[in-house]
Amino acid sequence: GENVEQHPSTLSVQEGDSAVIKCTYSDSASNYFPWYKQELGKRPQLIIDIRSNVGEKKDQRIAVTLNKTAKHFSLHITETQPEDSAVYFCAASVRDTGNQFYFGTGTSLTVIP
Amino acid sequence: NAGVMQNPRHLVRRRGQEARLRCSPMKGHSHVYWYRQLPEEGLKFMVYLQKENIIDESGMPKERFSAEFPKEGPSILRIQQVVRGDSAAYFCASSSRTSVETQYFGPGTRLLVL
């Protein structure tokens, strides 16, 4: 089955700096890669996603890149703000079949004011 | 439009009791997924259901755990004879038939087994 690895497990950045979180996956059939943000005690919230026919997607300060050949994808947050502090999870799945998400183990991001 | 609803939000059970967790998907969503999150870990898939059907239960423990999504009413995750290791946050997510890949999560049920 699919195996998703996520690095780093913790990340601290100064406010205004950029943060990058990286994930790798093992199953070449995976074609949908969402990113979720989870604040302490809250539900995971979808912040951005990318499909395998796209190499990059951007939404304001958040961007995601995908390298299908290398089977890795990354989340980039620019101009970080204290409210970006949370745990971020990447996931992989096979779209269109409603298959399960395979989640990474999470990155705890702390933005230092 | 209400999001995914789960209840109870917190549940305390003693070892050997039964736990019933309920999930009401977003309006118009017919796909439900259950995930378990252990403390400081990622979410692990348990089961995927559509109305009256279990589509994929490959992540469900073979014993004590069961799930259903009846024609009417919420999806239920049932854990019989709970043990301390069942203590976790249980999240359900739902998606629509037309956008099946996008899963929206509920607030979770935090189960504590004493």
Side-chain angles (χ1 to χ4, degrees):
Chain A
E2 175 65 280
N3 181 44
V4 176
E5 296 191 354
Q6 182 172 348
H7 300 281
S9 57
T10 59
L11 179 61
S12 292
V13 299
Q14 289 292 136
E15 182 177 358
D17 287 350
S18 295
V20 180
I21 303 170
K22 299 181 179 182
C23 288
T24 60
Y25 63 99
S26 60
D27 189 350
S28 56
S30 291
N31 56 11
Y32 176 68
F33 307 92
W35 285 87
Y36 285 83
K37 175 184 179 182
Q38 186 178 29
E39 296 176 11
L40 189 62
K42 301 282 184 66
R43 74 184 75 195
Q45 292 199 305
L46 178 68
I47 56 171
I48 196 167
D49 56 14
I50 192 166
R51 293 169 175 81
S52 58
N53 58 345
V54 175
E56 184 174 356
K57 182 177 178 181
K58 191 172 181 180
D59 182 3
Q60 298 183 333
R61 297 187 296 108
I62 296 173
V64 58
T65 59
L66 171 65
N67 183 327
K68 280 180 60 179
T69 305
K71 295 197 189 74
H72 66 70
F73 57 112
S74 301
L75 177 72
H76 304 252
I77 307 174
T78 58
E79 300 172 26
T80 52
Q81 301 167 2
E83 51 265 38
D84 294 330
S85 296
V87 178
Y88 292 81
F89 292 98
C90 63
S93 77
V94 180
R95 188 167 65 99
D96 296 331
T97 63
N99 274 8
Q100 57 173 293
F101 283 176
Y102 294 89
F103 280 91
T105 49
T107 296
S108 177
L109 173 65
T110 302
V111 179
I112 304 165
Chain B
N1 183 15
V4 180
M5 308 289 284
Q6 286 186 252
N7 65 81
R9 296 289 308 276
H10 300 273
L11 183 61
V12 180
R13 285 287 179 266
R14 296 192 180 279
R15 282 178 296 169
Q17 292 184 319
E18 179 180 286
R20 278 183 179 243
L21 288 62
R22 288 176 289 277
C23 169
S24 296
M26 284 180 71
K27 187 177 180 181
H29 285 193
S30 56
H31 301 236
V32 167
Y33 310 78
W34 285 93
Y35 294 85
R36 177 164 62 178
Q37 186 176 37
L38 294 170
E40 299 186 12
E41 292 190 12
L43 296 102
K44 302 288 188 191
F45 168 78
M46 299 182 74
V47 62
Y48 161 39
L49 311 104
Q50 294 179 22
K51 285 284 188 183
E52 300 184 281
N53 284 307
I54 296 174
I55 307 301
D56 180 355
E57 55 181 347
S58 58
M60 287 274 274
K62 293 286 187 288
E63 299 177 350
R64 301 189 298 109
F65 285 73
S66 62
E68 63 177 5
F69 188 15
K71 187 176 180 181
E72 301 291 337
S75 175
I76 306 286
L77 179 67
R78 183 183 178 203
I79 311 172
Q80 295 178 291
Q81 300 173 350
V82 296
V83 300
R84 288 214 173 111
D86 296 333
S87 296
Y90 292 83
F91 289 93
C92 84
S94 72
S95 64
S96 70
R97 184 173 53 83
T98 54
S99 183
V100 68
E101 73 274 10
T102 305
Q103 296 183 22
Y104 296 92
F105 280 80
T109 293
R110 278 134 187 98
L111 172 66
L112 176 62
V113 180
L114 301 177

